[in-house]
Amino acid sequence: KTQSGCFSTYDWKQIFVGAGNFKPVIFISLDTEDSMNDHEDTNGSKESFREQDIYLPIANVARIMKNAIPQTGKIAKDAKECVQECVSEFISFITSEASERCHQEKRKTINGEDILFAMSTLGFDSYVEPLKLYLQKFREAMKGEKGIGGTVTATDGLSEELTEEAFTNQLPAGLITADGQQQNVMVYTTSYQQVKYFWCATNSQKSLYDSGNRDI
Amino acid sequence: MAAAAGSGTPREEEGPSGEAAAPQPQAPTSAPGARLSRLPLARVKALVKADPDVTLAGQEAIFILARAAELFVETIAKDAYCCAQQGKRKTLQRRDLDNAIEAVDEFAFLEGTLD
């Protein structure tokens, strides 16, 4: 019996791990794509390389919205989608301004200060203080970890992905089946993130591997 | 990338006892600076890099942006919910967001971006 699901084929690589057909192994996806996190959106990979098409996962957005309104409140689906679009606009808006300032000062890398300055300029002054606090905590946390945070590039940020993404990503529930003795492992990755580890459970044993990228 | 057993120990150990347990983000509160952002950094990073004028973005920048985006969502949700309450509704609807965007100066950049 093969475990299967509905995935967006765009940008996905499917990797089988665990050769034995009868070894129960466990599926883990560290992918940040929302298709795994949100049942409403399983097919709708809003992933694209155009700025206007990249959104943050609706489940995450909805959760933050829920926490902001009274508990008795409800949120219409199109309202969630609307905010989802607005957030992307917001990020692009700030980024654009920050990038401009960066260029003006003949720097190549947008840093935290650029973002804060852009916020202030664009009327989000009220965010600046809380963000400074947050930045402080982040810097303190990073100090002990691996030195000063460096530049993020497309291939960078391995350990960063491990720590941060581990907190913000939900592993798909219900993908582990205990039907009979047989389970398959599928490890998914996208161009944005490589799978860093997966669980391989045989009977009650667990081991941790770094799978890297393996094509079949 | 070479596969190496045990490299990169994850912070959140997942102990699947026959089931996958998702690492749930802690703390429902959104106290500033209290915890890590609840938005996936890779996606934020993707958005930033999609901007043609951006060459590089530092790690800090991405972190702050993710947190700022969170604050933005909270703010707009709260503002919009006020509109819903004024309309004696408990469900936040799309029109509440439209109203909030019109009413709040900071959200002026959103005008015209939604159909």
Side-chain angles (χ1 to χ4, degrees), chain A residues 5-9 12 34-46 58:
Chain A
C6 181
F7 322 103
S8 160
T9 55
W12 289 83
D34 59 351
S35 43
M36 280 300 169
N37 289 339
D38 184 41
H39 295 298
E40 293 169 37
D41 241 346
T42 41
N43 240 346
S45 168
K46 292 192 171 159
I58 198 165

Side-chain angles (χ1 to χ4, degrees), chain A residues 26 32-34 47 51 54-57 60-61 63-65 67-70 72-76 78-79 82-83 85-96 99 103 108-112 115 119 123-124 127 130-131 134-135 137-139 145-146 149-153 158 160-172 176 192 194 197 199 206 208 210 212, chain B residues 1-16 18-25 28-29 32-65 67-78 81 85 90-94 97-98 101 106-107 109-110 113-115:
Chain A
I26 294 180
T32 57
E33 304 315 315
D34 59 351
E47 198 63 78
E51 213 171 10
I54 302 180
Y55 302 118
L56 299 176
N60 301 48
V61 172
R63 206 181 310 131
I64 300 172
M65 288 177 76
N67 285 336
I69 66 175
T72 50
K74 292 189 174 31
I75 307 171
D78 60 354
C82 177
V83 173
E85 289 172 31
C86 291
V87 178
S88 289
E89 276 298 320
F90 172 76
I91 291 177
S92 299
F93 188 47
I94 303 290
T95 300
S96 187
S99 169
H103 283 315
K108 285 206 181 142
T109 309
I110 301 180
N111 61 27
I115 303 290
M119 298 263 165
F124 293 96
Y127 293 9
L131 289 175
Y134 181 73
L135 182 57
K137 295 222 181 239
F138 163 69
R139 280 178 178 162
E145 290 281 324
K146 44 184 161 66
T151 306
V152 169
T153 63
L158 288 185
E160 152 201 328
E161 301 286 67
L162 271 178
T163 56
E164 288 305 316
E165 297 303 323
F167 286 109
T168 59
N169 279 313
Q170 292 199 19
L171 295 176
I176 314 308
Y192 292 123
Q194 297 166 353
Y197 58 89
W199 292 96
K206 288 179 284 198
L208 204 64
D210 183 338
Chain B
M1 295 189 61
S7 64
T9 322
R11 269 192 191 169
E12 292 241 13
E13 271 302 295
E14 274 314 294
E19 262 178 39
Q24 297 291 339
T29 65
R35 45 182 303 282
L36 304 162
S37 170
R38 281 175 287 190
L39 296 167
L41 294 175
R43 198 70 67 85
V44 175
K45 199 195 312 176
L47 257 173
V48 169
K49 294 186 82 60
D51 185 324
D53 297 325
V54 171
T55 14
L56 293 170
Q59 199 179 16
E60 278 187 358
I62 304 294
F63 273 106
I64 301 184
L65 267 175
R67 180 78 185 121
E70 221 182 299
L71 293 175
F72 172 79
V73 172
E74 285 174 13
T75 309
I76 200 170
K78 282 195 184 120
Y81 197 72
Q85 284 175 320
K90 283 200 175 153
T91 302
L92 204 163
Q93 290 173 1
R94 170 70 192 263
L97 287 162
D98 291 331
I101 290 171
E106 290 158 18
F107 298 152
F109 73 96
L110 290 168
T113 62
L114 308 168
D115 296 324

Side-chain angles (χ1 to χ4, degrees), chain A residues 100-133:
Chain A
E100 213 179 281
R101 175 159 189 254
C102 214
H103 283 315
Q104 274 173 12
E105 304 198 348
K106 307 273 203 286
R107 279 181 289 114
K108 285 206 181 142
T109 309
I110 301 180
N111 61 27
E113 305 297 332
D114 294 323
I115 303 290
L116 290 175
F117 187 81
M119 298 263 165
S120 184
T121 309
L122 297 173
F124 293 96
D125 206 46
S126 55
Y127 293 9
V128 171
E129 283 311 313
L131 289 175
K132 277 193 188 157
L133 273 170

